[in-house]
Amino acid sequence: SDAERRGAHRALSEVLIEEADVDRRAWHLALATVWPDESVVQLLEQTAVRARRRGGFEAACMALERAAELTAEPEARAGRLAAAGQSAWEAGQLVRAAGLLEEARLLTADPIVSADVDQLRAWIELSIGSGMMARRLLIDAAKEIADIDPDRALEMLAAAAEAAWIAGDAQAGAELGQVAARLPPADTPRARFLTHLFNGFVGLLNGGVARPVRALRDAMDLAGEP
């Protein structure tokens, strides 16, 4: 029965006490647990960290997804689902990643988490969906956080400009420029890199050649700076 299986998992977790067995112990505890339990969740998150370090992105996704299932608080659950989606993306499981991110998006009210989720959803759209949808997700996300985290917004605008260029969406240039105008001047090497990247793709969308190419070359020159 389910209860007997859970009892077996718990019994196994109690004897797996060696350091080499820490991940197996975490999983047996997770499979023995029915209700939200933050102590088990933390063990699963540590398992996910170790899995990622060795390139085990699918294993990390599984651990984080189970951690989310054992999380009661909606924002914490959303964060763990988003992290699981990130690992699924890195494992090449794009459909699975999209499902996890959609679930996270429905749970969170945090604009930063929402923007990060939408950014990854956009990359998935670029891979297996619509470049137009990717551009829409990124612009909307940048609008939401432009006043909260302008650096993050700039990163999303640069990605949106690239997505629009890939999709051949020449009409996107005006909206991209309006959102970019809300951001402060670039004052770090990374911000300058992203600004040049953005200007290059928007310039190409607007029909330019020489200035956009120069902007993209400037971005390449800055790419190796910290």
Side-chain angles (χ1 to χ4, degrees), residues 8 41 43 55 82 97 104 107 112 116 124 130 137-138 140 142 145 149 155 157 170 178 183 195 200 206-207 214 217:
V41 166
L43 291 175
L107 281 172
I112 298 295
D116 286 344
I124 293 171
S130 162
L137 285 166
L138 288 162
D140 287 347
I145 62 168
D149 192 336
E155 180 180 343
L157 285 178
Q178 290 170 3
L183 304 180
T195 298
N206 292 334
R214 186 162 58 250
R217 284 177 174 165

Side-chain angles (χ1 to χ4, degrees), residues 18 39-40 56 64 76 88 96 109-110 113 120 122 129 134 152 154-157 171 176 178 190 214 221:
E18 300 296 329
S39 64
V40 177
L64 290 164
R96 183 180 186 184
D110 184 323
V113 175
L120 188 49
R152 213 185 221 103
L154 177 58
E155 180 180 343
M156 292 176 184
L157 285 178
Q171 304 303 313
L176 285 163
Q178 290 170 3
R190 176 166 175 75
R214 186 162 58 250
D221 290 340

Side-chain angles (χ1 to χ4, degrees), residues 36-54:
D37 187 324
E38 195 63 23
S39 64
V40 177
V41 166
Q42 289 177 10
L43 291 175
L44 287 169
E45 287 186 318
Q46 292 164 12
T47 290
V49 169
R50 286 187 289 271
R52 288 180 63 83
R53 285 175 182 163
R54 61 176 183 267

Side-chain angles (χ1 to χ4, degrees), residues 121-191:
R121 289 174 65 204
W123 288 125
I124 293 171
E125 284 290 337
L126 276 176
S127 300
I128 59 172
S130 162
M132 299 278 280
M133 177 60 74
R135 187 264 298 170
R136 184 74 267 153
L137 285 166
L138 288 162
I139 291 179
D140 287 347
K143 287 178 178 178
E144 287 294 316
I145 62 168
D147 298 327
I148 304 170
D149 192 336
D151 290 341
R152 213 185 221 103
L154 177 58
E155 180 180 343
M156 292 176 184
L157 285 178
E162 182 177 359
W165 178 72
I166 290 170
D169 184 9
Q171 304 303 313
E175 185 179 13
L176 285 163
Q178 290 170 3
V179 182
R182 294 170 52 187
L183 304 180
D187 59 358
T188 66
R190 176 166 175 75

